[in-house]
């Protein structure tokens, strides 16, 4: 005889209720996120570690202002400045080469005359006999002797001045604050940077910069009728650019304003 198994969900006849209820678990569903109220902002979720968020481009027709350069950040160091000046000091190549060639030729001439005389066959490239007879018969106060001595003395003085006085530098030493680090800027790049700074002044159409010695000469063209204070503005802009470049030498700025 088959036995019927009672359903656990149906109450058993004659059994007392226990007060406990059984429920069937349901699948959990994600509730939609409630949008923020108008006028409020939700904090941005930080990116995951090792990932970068692309920068948002500016809106069309707007430009992002570039941060201003930091002026005067290099501390002045006298020893580092002297080291930079020595590193970029002109070598006086042309006078040194000419002097070396002249001394080499004189040395070869003397060597040939001495060697040929020792071999018994003097070359006589230089008439020593006539020079010696003229020198022994001519007094020291003779105008020709004084003129020759003066020319030789001037030539020696010129060579000494060329060795002591520096020439035109090809590179402008820039202040670094470190004796072991020397940086030089080309003169053309230096003047172009100053000219660009002058052209950024409102009212200046074109500017040209030249270095004369250790002074900066700015020739600026302007199409404005009223140019009062414009030269001072150009001078200030150029001085700010010089301070930003931090050259070792000081460059006074002279502005010549030309009206079209």
């Amino acid at each position: 005889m088959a036995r019927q198994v009672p359903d656990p969900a149906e109450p058993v006849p004659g059994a007392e209720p226990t007060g406990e209820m059984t429920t069937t678990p349901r699948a959990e569903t994600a509730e939609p996120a409630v949008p923020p109220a108008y006028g409020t902002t939700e904090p941005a979720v930080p990116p995951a570690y090792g990932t970068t968020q692309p920068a948002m481009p500016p809106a069309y027709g707007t430009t992002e202002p570039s941060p201003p350069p930091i002026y005067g950040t290099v501390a002045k160091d006298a020893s580092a400045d002297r080291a930079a000046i020595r590193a970029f000091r002109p070598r006086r190549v042309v006078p040194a080469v000419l002097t070396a060639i002249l001394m080499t030729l004189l040395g070869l001439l003397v060597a040939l005359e001495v060697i040929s005389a020792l071999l018994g066959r003097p070359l006589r490239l230089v008439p020593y006999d006539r020079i010696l007879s003229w020198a022994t018969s001519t007094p020291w106060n003779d105008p020709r002797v004084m003129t020759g001595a003066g020319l030789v003395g001037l030539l020696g003085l010129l060579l000494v001045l060329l060795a002591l006085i520096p020439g035109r530098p090809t590179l402008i030493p820039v202040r670094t604050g470190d004796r072991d680090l020397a940086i030089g800027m080309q003169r053309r790049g230096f003047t172009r940077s100053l000219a660009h700074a002058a052209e950024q002044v409102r009212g200046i159409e074109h500017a040209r910069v030249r270095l004369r010695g250790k002074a900066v000469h700015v020739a600026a063209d302007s199409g404005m009728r009223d140019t009062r204070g414009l030269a001072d503005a150009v001078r200030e802009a150029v001085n700010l650019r010089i301070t930003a470049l931090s050259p070792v030498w000081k460059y006074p700025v002279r502005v010549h304003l030309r009206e079209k």
Side-chain angles (χ1 to χ4, degrees), residues 76-91 171-184 248-249:
K76 183 178 181 181
D77 189 346
S79 60
D81 293 349
R82 288 193 296 268
I85 292 174
R86 287 194 301 268
F88 297 105
R89 183 175 181 176
R91 303 303 179 186
L171 294 176
I172 298 175
V174 177
R175 182 173 290 118
T176 61
D178 189 356
R179 296 184 57 184
D180 299 329
L181 178 62
I183 299 178
V248 173
W249 295 312

Side-chain angles (χ1 to χ4, degrees), residues 197-241:
E199 291 174 351
Q200 297 303 310
V201 178
R202 183 178 181 182
I204 299 300
E205 298 179 356
H206 179 72
R208 185 176 182 182
V209 177
R210 290 184 178 180
L211 289 180
R212 296 178 182 176
K214 292 182 181 180
V216 175
H217 292 260
V218 183
D221 298 333
S222 175
M224 299 178 61
R225 296 182 179 179
D226 187 6
T227 58
R228 290 177 297 179
L230 190 58
D232 295 336
V234 172
R235 186 180 297 104
E236 182 180 359
V238 174
N239 281 325
L240 287 176
R241 182 60 58 86

